[in-house]
Amino acid sequence: MRLHALLETEALGLRLLGGEDELDRGVRGVMTTDLRDPSRYLSGGELVLTGLAWRHSAEDSEPFVRILASAGVAGLAAGEAELGNIPGDLVEACSRHRLPLFAVNESVAFATITEYVVRQVSGERAGDLAAVVDRHRRLMTSGPAGGGPEVVLDLLGSDLDLRAWVLSPTGRQIAGAGDPLPGPVSAALAGEHLAATRTGRRGPHRATAGGATYSLFPIRNTGRGAAPASRDVRESVLSDWLLAVEADAGDWPAARLDLLQGVTQLIAVERDRREAARTVRRRLAQEVLELVQTGAAPAEIAARLRVAAPVLLPGLGTAPHWQVVVARVEWEQDAAAGAAIEAGPVAQSLLEEILVDPAAEGSDSGDRIAVAHTGDEAIALVPLPALPVDPEGPDVESTEAGLHADALLGSVRDPLSAGLDGDGRLTLGVSAAVSSAEGLRGALEEARHARRVAAARPGRVCAAGHHELASHVLLLPFVPDDVRRAFTARLLDPLRDYDRRHRAELIPTLEAFLDCDGSWTRCATRLHLHVNTLRYRVGRIEQLTSRDLSRLEDKLDFFLALRMS
C-alpha cells in the first residue's frame, strides 16, 4: 500500500505536516515505538508510530529522524495526545531528511492504525492470508464475538498449519492452540528468547527444545499503554511476551514473515489490555504501601484494605489474611551505558508474573495480584481467601499455608537466570501471613529481611521466606542480655575502637555494605566513595575481626551483631 492511501482514509485521523512529494512510498508494515534509537527493530518500509515520549528537548528530534531515514522507513506518524501540536523542530527535521510526517489525532488509537495497515499489507502481499489476519482482528475485539489470542492461534493452525503458543518471559503459557507445551520445553524456549534478546539479536530467534525446532517472535508492549521508553534492553527484556511457532522461519518468504509480525502486533493489543487492567490493582497496592510506610493509623490502613479486597477477591468481599512479597532486580552498572537502569518497574512487572500460579493459563490469571514499586524495590500485597487450621489446635493457623519462597521460583528459575546472565540478579523475600492491618508493617519488614538473606546467597535468582528468619531475627528479643553484649562486643568493639582512634567510619561502612547486599558499586555510591576506598575499609574490617565478608555466615553474624547493638 502507499502512504497517500493512509492519508485518504478518514477513520485513521492522519494530518499531513510535511513530505507531500513522498506520498507514493510503499508501506510494508507498521511499528510503534518511543525508543530514542529503534533501529534494531526496523527493516525498512515501515510506518513508524510514536507518542513522542523519547523527546525531552528540541535537540532530540534530529537524531531520531536521522535514524528513521537511514533505516528506510516509509513515514512517521506522531500522536498529539502527549504534547498537543507536533513540535516544530520535529517538522523541520523530517523536512531536512525528506521523511513524510503525519499528526495522529488524540482520539485515534495507535492500535487502530496498526490493525488497518496489517490488513492492507497482508492483503497485498499474502492474498488469502490477509483473510486470516482480518479474522484474527475481528475475533480479538471485545464482545460476544471475541476470542482473545487463543482464537488467533487456532486460526494459525487451521489456515496456515502452524502450531503456536504465546508465552510469558518465565515460560508460562498465556495462550495456545491444541495441546499445551510441556513445562520444561516452554521454560527452555523462554530462556532462549531472553538470552537472545539480551545479546541484541533481532527476532525471530531459532531454538530447539524437546526434539523440535521453534521460531520465537518478540511481542513487545510498546503501544500507548506501555511503560516509558527503555534506555536499555534490560529494562524490558524481563517483561515482554513471545510467540513460539513450531517451525523454522529461516527459510520463510518475506510475505509469511510479515504476516507473523502482524500477528504479534495484534496479540500486543491483548497485552496492552492486560496492562490497563492491572492499573487499578497497582494503584491500590501503592496506596496501601504508602500508608504502611508512613505509619498511618491501622484503622486507615484497614479501610483501604476493605476497598482493595473486593477488587482482588471478587465475590468474597474481604480477605482474612494477607502476605507481603518483596523483590529486587539488580544490574551491575555499566559505566559506558550512562544513566542507571530504572529497576523498580522491571521488578514490578516480573513479580506480577512470578506470583501467577505456574499452572494457570490465560492473560487474566493474575487478577488477584497487586504490586507496587518504590525505588528499585517491588512490593506485592497478596490476599489469601482462607488459611487451613492446624490439626494441633482449633485456634492455631497452619504454618504451611500461603506462599512459599522456594515454590515461587521453582518453575521460573532457569529462564530468568538466562535473562539475567552476566550482570543481573533477582532476589525475593516472602513474609508470613497476617490477619490485620496492624500486622502489615511487620510483614513488610519481614519480607525485606528475608530478601536480604536471599541476596547473601550465590546465584542469579534467589529467594528466602519468613521461616528462615525464625532462627535469628524473630528470636533476637529472647537472647539474654549478657549473651547479646558478649556477641556484639566480640565483633563490633574492635571496629568501634578503631573508629574512635582513626575516625575511619568502619561501622557505618559495614552497615551500608550489608544493606546493599554486598554490592560494591551500590555501596560505594551510597557512601560517596571510590570503590577502591570501600574495598580498603572492608579489608580493614575483615582484618580487625578475622571474618570474611564474602561468606554468608560472617555476613549474618555481622547483621545480627548490628541488630542487637
Side-chain angles (χ1 to χ4, degrees):
M1 66 178 303
R2 305 293 174 181
L3 284 175
H4 62 73
L6 294 174
L7 190 62
E8 294 164 1
T9 306
E10 294 182 0
L12 299 183
L14 297 178
R15 181 164 50 89
L16 185 64
L17 299 181
E20 294 88 347
D21 298 336
E22 305 291 333
L23 292 181
D24 199 45
R25 292 186 181 186
V27 179
R28 297 180 58 248
V30 61
M31 177 193 176
T32 302
T33 186
D34 275 319
L35 296 173
R36 291 190 177 190
D37 181 3
S39 56
R40 73 169 69 191
Y41 307 120
L42 297 172
S43 57
E46 297 93 347
L47 173 66
V48 175
L49 308 177
T50 181
L52 300 178
W54 50 266
R55 183 188 178 277
H56 301 296
S57 66
E59 289 73 22
D60 295 335
S61 293
E62 169 64 25
F64 181 77
V65 173
R66 184 170 61 250
I67 289 170
L68 299 188
S70 299
V73 304
L76 174 64
E80 296 179 320
E82 293 294 329
L83 302 179
N85 292 332
I86 305 304
D89 49 89
L90 180 59
V91 177
E92 293 171 4
C94 288
S95 177
R96 282 194 296 272
H97 291 277
R98 300 181 62 83
L99 181 66
L101 175 63
F102 303 89
V104 182
N105 189 281
E106 62 181 354
S107 64
V108 178
F110 282 4
T112 300
I113 301 174
T114 297
E115 292 167 0
Y116 180 86
V117 173
V118 168
R119 291 201 312 272
Q120 298 302 315
V121 171
S122 297
E124 293 175 0
R125 294 192 168 201
D128 59 323
L129 301 185
V132 178
V133 176
D134 186 56
R135 289 166 64 192
H136 291 177
R137 181 193 62 80
R138 288 185 284 104
L139 287 168
M140 287 187 69
T141 58
S142 59
E150 290 83 1
V151 177
V152 176
L153 302 183
D154 281 335
L155 290 174
L156 280 179
S158 62
D159 290 31
L160 302 180
D161 196 26
L162 291 175
R163 299 178 67 209
W165 300 262
V166 177
L167 304 178
S168 77
T170 66
R172 181 176 61 86
Q173 182 169 310
I174 294 167
D179 296 333
L181 282 174
V185 171
S186 59
L189 294 178
E192 290 278 355
H193 169 72
L194 290 173
T197 305
R198 282 292 310 278
T199 59
R201 285 158 47 197
R202 298 179 63 175
H205 309 125
R206 185 180 183 276
T208 302
T213 299
Y214 299 85
S215 295
L216 311 177
F217 293 80
I219 301 173
R220 295 187 173 88
N221 186 26
T222 54
R224 283 183 174 177
S230 298
R231 295 166 297 185
D232 192 299
V233 68
R234 291 174 289 187
E235 293 188 12
S236 60
V237 67
L238 298 176
S239 59
D240 287 338
W241 289 357
L242 67 140
L243 176 66
V245 181
E246 190 177 1
D248 188 348
D251 56 356
W252 282 5
R256 176 162 286 208
L257 282 172
D258 286 347
L259 178 69
L260 265 292
Q261 296 290 357
V263 169
T264 65
Q265 292 171 344
L266 292 176
I267 296 176
V269 175
E270 175 69 14
R271 174 66 190 271
D272 289 342
R273 289 174 181 161
R274 187 187 77 154
E275 288 298 305
R278 283 184 168 177
T279 301
V280 173
R281 299 194 296 276
R282 287 173 171 173
R283 186 171 64 247
L284 287 171
Q286 197 74 43
E287 291 173 353
V288 174
L289 175 62
E290 290 174 0
L291 292 174
V292 171
Q293 294 195 127
T294 56
E300 187 176 359
I301 300 174
R304 181 53 55 187
L305 288 176
R306 284 194 293 271
V307 173
V311 176
L312 302 178
L313 292 172
L316 188 63
T318 184
H321 298 84
W322 300 84
Q323 271 183 290
V324 175
V325 183
V326 173
R328 196 167 195 155
V329 175
E330 296 173 309
W331 306 95
E332 291 296 329
Q333 298 303 323
D334 182 359
I341 300 169
E342 190 176 2
V346 180
Q348 180 184 45
S349 178
L350 192 54
L351 185 52
E352 286 172 336
E353 172 60 30
I354 290 172
L355 290 175
V356 177
D357 183 348
E361 293 185 18
S363 58
D364 298 326
S365 52
D367 59 1
R368 293 184 177 182
I369 299 165
V371 182
H373 76 82
T374 173
D376 291 340
E377 188 178 65
I379 301 170
L381 189 66
V382 183
L384 304 175
L387 293 180
V389 175
D390 195 302
E392 297 298 323
D395 298 323
V396 180
E397 293 167 355
S398 171
T399 58
E400 298 302 316
L403 301 175
H404 291 263
D406 289 339
L408 286 177
L409 296 182
S411 62
V412 304
R413 193 183 304 274
D414 288 345
L416 292 184
S417 295
L420 294 162
D421 187 33
D423 61 351
R425 289 198 78 205
L426 166 68
T427 51
L428 186 142
V430 182
S431 79
V434 295
S435 58
S436 65
E438 291 90 338
L440 277 181
R441 185 173 181 82
L444 175 58
E445 290 305 313
E446 189 175 59
R448 282 174 167 161
H449 284 311
R451 192 204 64 78
R452 292 190 183 102
V453 171
R457 296 170 174 166
R460 292 288 169 192
V461 181
C462 300
H466 61 94
H467 299 290
E468 300 176 66
L469 303 180
S471 62
H472 41 82
V473 174
L474 298 184
L475 294 181
L476 290 183
F478 304 99
V479 177
D481 288 343
D482 57 338
V483 175
R484 283 170 174 259
R485 284 192 295 269
F487 183 78
T488 57
R490 188 164 55 250
L491 278 177
L492 301 183
D493 279 0
L495 306 182
R496 289 174 178 143
D497 292 339
Y498 191 90
D499 281 349
R500 234 181 346 258
R501 293 194 308 270
H502 302 282
R503 298 182 182 179
E505 298 186 341
L506 295 185
I507 291 290
T509 300
L510 175 62
E511 291 175 333
F513 187 75
L514 294 176
D515 193 51
C516 292
D517 305 326
S519 169
W520 297 99
T521 303
R522 287 198 299 115
C523 185
T525 301
R526 176 181 294 190
L527 296 175
H528 305 290
L529 297 174
H530 192 277
V531 172
N532 289 342
T533 303
L534 175 62
R535 292 186 185 276
Y536 172 82
R537 288 188 183 180
V538 170
R540 179 64 69 183
I541 291 170
E542 293 175 333
Q543 182 183 41
L544 291 170
T545 60
S546 299
R547 297 297 185 106
D548 182 358
L549 276 168
S550 67
R551 296 179 67 247
L552 172 61
E553 294 84 351
D554 289 342
K555 284 181 181 177
L556 287 176
D557 281 348
F558 278 121
F559 171 74
L560 292 172
L562 290 168
R563 284 294 302 270
M564 291 190 295
S565 63

